[in-house]
Amino acid sequence: MSPDARIAVDAMGGDEGLATMLGGVAQARRRFDGLRFFLVGDEEQIRAGLANHPNLTAASEIVHAPDVVASDAKPSQAIRRAKTTSMGVAIDLVKQGRAGAAVSSGNTGALMAMAKLALRTMPGIDRPALAAMLPSLGETDTVMLDLGANTECDARNLIQFAVMGAAWARTTLDLASPRVALLNIGTEDLKGTDKVREAAAMLKAATHLPLTFSGYIEGNSISRGDVDVVVCDGFSGNIALKTAEGTARFVADLLKRAFRSSVRSKIGFLISRPATELLRGHLDPNNHNGAVFLGLNGLVVKSHGGATERGVAHAIGVAAKMVRDDLTRRITDDLAHFEGEVAA
Amino acid sequence: MSPDARIAVDAMGGDEGLATMLGGVAQARRRFDGLRFFLVGDEEQIRAGLANHPNLTAASEIVHAPDVVASDAKPSQAIRRAKTTSMGVAIDLVKQGRAGAAVSSGNTGALMAMAKLALRTMPGIDRPALAAMLPSLGETDTVMLDLGANTECDARNLIQFAVMGAAWARTTLDLASPRVALLNIGTEDLKGTDKVREAAAMLKAATHLPLTFSGYIEGNSISRGDVDVVVCDGFSGNIALKTAEGTARFVADLLKRAFRSSVRSKIGFLISRPATELLRGHLDPNNHNGAVFLGLNGLVVKSHGGATERGVAHAIGVAAKMVRDDLTRRITDDLAHFEGEVAA
């Protein structure tokens, strides 16, 4: 994959509509030097929308797709219309090698199903996983996977997630041997399900993997920055991720209520506003938008359905960084080097 | 169970030691009128400790137990010393009907194992569950279970958790038909594991249960107050609970950093301190301390190992309220009334 490959953007997906997607692409274009795009969707609408973004026109090629995947479409329905939908055509551009990555804010289940069908799973990987970089108190973000692609996982799946997550941390966070932990309900050896314990035993034994196995991690430590990669099945991972989002919003709401509770605290709030704005920025999901399907022969980034322009720009930035780091090849190399260990 | 029954307190369990436990009991005594206690543990130490709490002496009876369950003891080890440990003796007082409930800050696994062995599971319940009241943006707290007693659960277990959680919400939150939801990774019918979907179908069909089934709830909505009871397996429940705790602390740490980032924000912080103190109080785990083992023939409350005196007092308050509400009988009645539905 050429490092200056274009990013294919599903311009029609997401709850916020075409204008937000184009606004996000335009922001990404300004923020990341030299990025170029395929804008996939209704040609006429995209052309009209581009009128507001003169900086995009030269950097973009419009690829027409007449249909859109509905937000409530079942994956099985969506797959049948892969060739005519903006989501399907964006993924196809990756498959053809014309785009380095696809970005969509559309239906997650459909995106996963289409991407899997079109790009196929990497050799050595049984199931792709949905991964994201989460904010932490540490020096860098924390990679977490699976976040919902696989409701149930066996020990072998978890090992493969560990290798893929570590490869992402090595390339994107520039860590030689990322610290990897399995999400569990305690840190003692006996805790958890058979699958988690089996995966722990395998990771402990596989001493040549390009990662440092840190044992188990509990939910309260995910954001502490003690480890670089948190590995879990898609059910508990999705619940942990959404609970973290919900709790952050809950605390912010309580804080708002507290600041409004008296004139005195309102004044204090106004004075300390730059500080609370800093916090708001740090917690805003748009500043962490962009989950990645790891384990496919091609890069696909899922942007949140309700992402703002800033969120879309961030997701595109995630995609661009992965393209430049040649992430797919890095993961393939890791898997090939350590195939014996991973298979064992 | 007499509503003026004593609470049996494991005075030796927990990381903070006897003084904190006694301090907590003394606080509870001041806060809740008429409470009386068994203080279980080393008689000499307890007697010496009571010298600092004259208000406790008349309300307490010391029950000697020479041993303590270590915080890292395996449940199987702890069980063998049930008759000589403060934790085991406290539970035995409940079994004998001398105490209305037992409260311990000791080793959770040991407490669960001992309580199950001594008190036995209620008729109609396959497995007890660990439940807690969590803070929410709604009018009342939210009951959540299982929080870690059962790593894996089938649909039947989940239904029984729903009935027990609803019974707790009915008695303690005074709700006629609590809204009950299953924790899942999406709200559509097709989402989740087979077990969760099966439990949903059963709850939908069982229209005579004393609860309103609200379908699925995602992690980001747990604290919104949209439902009164959140039901899940112990693995994802424990991860959600700890992730929520960790995220709340993470946001609080970021807020602290933000307030310290400039002189201006430090001043703002000082002015709005009453507001942030309010928030701190709302989020302090000590103000929500006290998880309950539901489904046993007797009440056992788990206080956090690191709970402060205020935390211990809160857990004792939870126990006292359950004793006064005669929770065990309420759950038994609910199960008997709806046995056909629950069994189906």
Side-chain angles (χ1 to χ4, degrees):
Chain A
M1 187 65 54
S2 147
D4 57 349
R6 287 177 189 259
I7 310 285
V9 178
D10 168 9
M12 316 303 284
D15 311 333
E16 305 301 316
L18 178 70
T20 300
M21 290 306 294
L22 289 183
V25 178
Q27 258 191 42
R29 177 71 186 79
R30 282 191 294 272
R31 205 182 299 168
F32 307 98
D33 224 27
L35 271 187
R36 293 159 74 234
F37 306 95
F38 290 112
L39 303 176
V40 188
D42 185 278
E43 184 165 5
E44 207 167 312
Q45 286 182 48
I46 295 175
R47 199 170 301 284
L50 275 181
N52 301 320
H53 302 287
N55 77 322
L56 264 191
T57 314
S60 303
E61 182 176 318
I62 300 175
V63 179
H64 181 67
D67 292 340
V68 179
V69 174
S71 64
D72 59 350
K74 287 184 192 163
S76 53
Q77 298 171 324
I79 279 176
R80 272 178 256 134
R81 292 165 60 221
K83 299 217 163 137
T84 60
T85 53
S86 55
M87 185 187 279
V89 172
I91 293 171
D92 195 55
L93 288 165
V94 177
K95 185 183 178 180
Q96 292 174 35
R98 292 176 63 200
V103 176
S104 175
S105 300
N107 181 326
T108 311
L111 186 64
M112 179 74 194
M114 278 188 185
K116 217 167 146 179
L117 194 69
L119 302 174
R120 300 282 163 187
T121 307
M122 277 182 181
I125 293 294
D126 296 319
R127 294 198 202 165
L130 191 60
M133 292 270 175
L134 308 183
S136 89
L137 289 174
E139 301 277 307
T140 61
D141 282 355
T142 302
V143 173
M144 187 161 165
L145 74 169
D146 175 25
L147 297 174
N150 308 283
T151 308
E152 282 170 288
C153 299
D154 61 21
R156 199 181 141 90
N157 297 139
L158 295 173
I159 305 290
Q160 293 171 0
F161 297 170
V163 173
M164 295 194 293
W168 194 20
R170 288 171 66 217
T171 51
T172 299
L173 304 178
D174 204 21
L175 301 166
S177 182
R179 297 161 300 172
V180 176
L182 290 163
L183 187 62
N184 201 348
I185 61 171
T187 53
E188 304 86 354
D189 281 351
L190 284 168
K191 291 282 179 172
T193 59
D194 292 346
K195 294 159 198 172
V196 171
R197 283 197 299 266
E198 200 186 321
M202 286 159 76
L203 281 170
K204 216 178 271 177
T207 49
H208 293 94
L209 292 179
L211 56 85
T212 305
F213 179 55
S214 308
Y216 298 137
I217 190 169
E218 294 184 81
N220 51 340
S221 302
I222 295 172
S223 52
R224 276 181 41 194
D226 299 339
V227 304
D228 307 303
V229 182
V230 176
V231 174
C232 52
D233 68 88
F235 192 82
S236 47
N238 185 284
I239 283 171
L241 179 73
K242 287 184 181 157
T243 302
E245 281 175 15
T247 307
R249 200 174 322 120
F250 173 66
V251 176
D253 285 353
L254 288 178
L255 193 65
K256 227 178 278 171
R257 276 193 199 174
F259 276 132
R260 283 185 192 145
S261 61
S262 71
V263 173
R264 174 177 165 169
S265 56
K266 272 182 202 158
I267 292 169
F269 171 72
L270 287 175
I271 294 175
S272 50
R273 195 159 201 168
T276 51
E277 286 296 319
L278 210 74
L279 176 71
R280 185 205 292 251
H282 199 107
L283 292 177
D284 185 343
N286 285 298
N287 294 340
H288 307 281
N289 188 36
V292 182
F293 289 117
L294 294 181
L296 299 173
N297 297 304
L299 296 169
V300 176
V301 172
K302 163 70 180 126
S303 163
H304 196 283
T308 61
E309 293 188 2
R310 190 154 39 81
V312 172
H314 192 276
I316 291 172
V318 168
K321 185 140 183 46
M322 292 195 310
V323 171
R324 289 187 185 174
D325 292 341
D326 210 354
L327 185 66
T328 305
R329 193 188 49 74
R330 287 290 291 266
I331 295 179
T332 312
D333 285 357
D334 275 8
L335 285 169
H337 270 101
F338 303 98
E339 198 176 8
E341 297 229 33
V342 174
Chain B
M1 186 65 55
S2 147
D4 56 351
R6 286 176 189 260
I7 310 285
V9 178
D10 169 8
M12 316 303 285
D15 311 332
E16 304 301 316
L18 177 70
T20 300
M21 290 306 293
L22 289 183
V25 178
Q27 258 191 45
R29 176 71 186 78
R30 282 192 293 273
R31 204 182 299 167
F32 307 98
D33 223 28
L35 271 188
R36 294 159 76 231
F37 307 95
F38 290 112
L39 302 176
V40 188
D42 185 279
E43 184 166 5
E44 209 169 311
Q45 287 182 46
I46 295 175
R47 199 170 301 283
L50 274 181
N52 301 319
H53 301 288
N55 77 321
L56 264 191
T57 313
S60 304
E61 182 177 319
I62 300 175
V63 178
H64 181 67
D67 293 341
V68 179
V69 174
S71 63
D72 59 349
K74 286 185 192 162
S76 53
Q77 297 172 323
I79 279 177
R80 272 178 255 133
R81 292 166 60 223
K83 299 216 162 137
T84 61
T85 52
S86 55
M87 186 188 278
V89 172
I91 293 170
D92 195 57
L93 287 165
V94 177
K95 185 183 179 184
Q96 292 175 34
R98 293 176 64 200
V103 176
S104 175
S105 299
N107 180 324
T108 312
L111 186 65
M112 180 73 193
M114 279 189 186
K116 217 166 146 180
L117 194 69
L119 302 173
R120 301 280 164 191
T121 307
M122 276 181 182
I125 293 294
D126 296 319
R127 292 196 202 168
L130 191 60
M133 293 269 176
L134 307 183
S136 89
L137 290 174
E139 301 277 306
T140 62
D141 282 354
T142 302
V143 173
M144 185 160 167
L145 74 169
D146 176 26
L147 297 174
N150 307 284
T151 308
E152 282 169 289
C153 299
D154 62 21
R156 198 180 141 91
N157 298 139
L158 295 173
I159 304 292
Q160 293 172 359
F161 298 170
V163 172
M164 294 194 294
W168 194 20
R170 289 171 67 216
T171 52
T172 298
L173 304 178
D174 204 22
L175 302 165
S177 182
R179 298 160 299 172
V180 175
L182 290 163
L183 187 63
N184 201 349
I185 60 172
T187 52
E188 304 87 354
D189 281 350
L190 285 169
K191 292 282 181 171
T193 59
D194 291 346
K195 294 159 198 172
V196 171
R197 283 197 299 266
E198 202 186 318
M202 286 159 75
L203 281 170
K204 215 178 272 176
T207 49
H208 293 93
L209 292 179
L211 56 83
T212 305
F213 179 54
S214 307
Y216 298 138
I217 189 169
E218 294 184 81
N220 51 339
S221 302
I222 295 172
S223 54
R224 276 181 41 195
D226 298 340
V227 304
D228 306 304
V229 182
V230 175
V231 174
C232 52
D233 68 87
F235 192 83
S236 47
N238 185 282
I239 283 171
L241 179 73
K242 288 185 180 156
T243 301
E245 281 175 15
T247 307
R249 201 175 320 118
F250 173 65
V251 176
D253 285 352
L254 289 178
L255 193 65
K256 230 178 274 172
R257 276 193 198 173
F259 277 130
R260 284 186 190 143
S261 62
S262 72
V263 173
R264 175 177 164 170
S265 56
K266 271 182 204 161
I267 293 169
F269 171 72
L270 287 175
I271 293 173
S272 51
R273 193 153 203 175
T276 51
E277 286 296 319
L278 209 75
L279 176 71
R280 185 205 293 253
H282 199 105
L283 292 177
D284 185 343
N286 285 298
N287 295 340
H288 307 280
N289 187 36
V292 182
F293 289 118
L294 294 181
L296 298 173
N297 297 304
L299 295 170
V300 176
V301 171
K302 164 69 180 127
S303 162
H304 196 281
T308 62
E309 293 188 2
R310 192 156 36 81
V312 171
H314 192 275
I316 291 172
V318 168
K321 187 142 180 47
M322 293 196 310
V323 171
R324 289 186 185 174
D325 291 343
D326 209 355
L327 186 66
T328 306
R329 192 187 50 73
R330 287 291 291 266
I331 295 179
T332 311
D333 285 358
D334 274 8
L335 286 168
H337 269 101
F338 303 99
E339 198 175 5
E341 297 229 31
V342 175

